[in-house]
Amino acid sequence: MSVPISQVWTVSSYILKQKLLRRKRYPLVLMLEPLFRCNLACAGCGKIQYPAHVLKRDLSPEDCFKAVEDCGAPVVSIPGGEPLMHPRMPEIVRGLVERRKYVYLCTNAILLREKLEAGEYQPSKYLTFSVHMDGSREEHDFAVCREGVFDKAYDAIKLALDKGFRVTTNTTLFDGSDPEKVRAFFDEMMELGVEGMMLSPGYSYDKAPDQASFLGRERTRQLFSRVFAKAKKSWRFNHSPLFLKFLQGQVEYHCTPWGNPTYNVFGWQKPCYLLQEGYAQSFDQLMRETEWDRYGHTNNDKCANCMVHSGYEATAVDDTFSSPAGLFRTIKAMFSR
Ligand code: SF4
């Protein structure tokens, strides 16, 4: 088990409550993007391509708390941009922890040592640093287009673990990834002592400078199958076991874009973290007015190659809780990577 029992309990009871209330669509993880600025310019990311006046904007702590309360999801993921560059991020994190939300603060960790030494964050079961690591030293520094970032992140993870913080890694795999090197990287992260690893196949952001390295659906299945063909029991992942089966092509799912709604400086993004098809001004409006049936890999060309966790993890989790058969499938998947 790679997450604390209290988190499993909170998320499970939340989902069961949604089932009892017969809510067809419910959010599971709020993607809270408080800024788009970053101290890196990775070729596979389109977030920093916004004009300067947008990159300057920050969500206030009050904006963040309102979004979290309106949405009601038990887990809040804070991507960006680089959240540690937000001047009021410690206040935002404190407020979310007080609200007993399980926060995943996504960071490239370049600033993490400095922030930890300044005492800006306190360890809590509600706070996890989710550190961007796209492979071992050579692969990661290549992916983020700067040398030395892997070593900096590795050092900051060690410090965070020593100080008692929860730490996970967040890895995007692109076309051409070598399964042998990916497995060696998993071993390295387990030895380092992170709580779990998150994985995603690269999605083709239309704003990203490198459009050649994104994976199509079939290539994604091939890559993940090859990586997991020699899976080790020691590897811990921060995913539903069924989502890992989905990445290997052993289960077919449809996207659940409302499972990970996104709130950023423009409002509530339709329909998901990856596509920008307009914005709603309230969470309620997002849920009511988005034409959800227009999305998913069979319904929309823009979704055709997408298998990312922000679209499909919520589907896998919902599957677990939808029937005894789903629960059985999950238990079986836990023991058969
Ligand atoms: S399939 Fe991917 S791009 Fe399409 S709505 Fe779902 S998460 Fe978004």
Side-chain angles (χ1 to χ4, degrees), residues 182-190 197 199 227 235 237:
V182 175
R183 284 192 287 269
F185 166 69
F186 290 169
D187 290 341
E188 190 177 11
M189 291 301 104
M190 289 294 94
M197 303 177 282
L199 305 174
V227 168
W235 295 347
F237 293 96

Side-chain angles (χ1 to χ4, degrees), residues 91-165:
E91 199 180 331
I92 294 171
V93 169
R94 257 195 318 277
L96 299 183
V97 167
E98 279 164 17
R99 285 165 177 77
R100 298 183 179 193
K101 298 295 178 186
Y102 284 92
V103 177
Y104 284 82
L105 185 54
C106 306
T107 174
N108 57 35
I110 289 176
L111 296 172
L112 187 55
R113 169 171 277 280
E114 169 189 329
K115 302 289 177 185
L116 294 180
E117 286 176 343
E120 292 188 12
Y121 299 92
Q122 300 306 316
S124 160
K125 69 175 182 179
Y126 292 107
L127 173 61
T128 303
F129 289 108
S130 175
V131 179
H132 175 197
M133 286 290 222
D134 280 351
S136 294
R137 184 180 291 112
E138 193 187 336
E139 291 76 42
H140 184 62
D141 286 353
F142 179 78
V144 302
C145 308
R146 191 187 299 175
E147 280 190 16
V149 176
F150 177 88
D151 287 341
K152 214 162 187 156
Y154 190 97
D155 166 70
I157 290 175
K158 257 179 121 167
L159 179 66
L161 291 169
D162 287 347
K163 285 182 173 285
F165 286 95

Side-chain angles (χ1 to χ4, degrees), residues 203 255-257 271-275 295-297 302-303 306-308 310-312:
Y203 171 82
C255 174
T256 302
C272 69
Y273 181 64
L274 301 169
L275 298 181
Y295 302 99
H297 70 285
K302 292 179 190 164
C303 300
C306 175
M307 295 179 80
V308 301
S310 56
Y312 291 87

Side-chain angles (χ1 to χ4, degrees), residues 192-228:
L192 179 56
V194 301
E195 180 183 292
M197 303 177 282
M198 292 182 76
L199 305 174
S200 193
Y203 171 82
S204 50
Y205 284 109
D206 55 3
K207 290 193 175 72
D210 176 8
Q211 291 290 317
S213 302
F214 294 114
L215 284 157
R217 222 174 164 76
E218 200 40 51
R219 307 267 301 186
T220 297
R221 291 176 179 139
Q222 283 168 7
L223 173 62
F224 281 87
S225 300
R226 288 175 65 201
V227 168
F228 281 92

Side-chain angles (χ1 to χ4, degrees), residues 1 231 233 241-242 245 327-337:
M1 181 75 66
K233 285 202 166 46
L242 290 177
K245 292 288 178 195
L327 190 57
F328 178 70
R329 269 197 297 281
T330 306
I331 294 167
K332 203 170 149 208
M334 279 168 78
F335 295 101
S336 66
R337 255 179 214 148

Side-chain angles (χ1 to χ4, degrees), residues 55-73:
L55 292 177
K56 272 188 203 152
R57 289 172 65 184
D58 292 331
L59 287 179
S60 69
E62 295 70 30
D63 294 332
C64 295
F65 302 150
K66 180 163 183 350
V68 165
E69 279 160 17
D70 289 352
C71 172

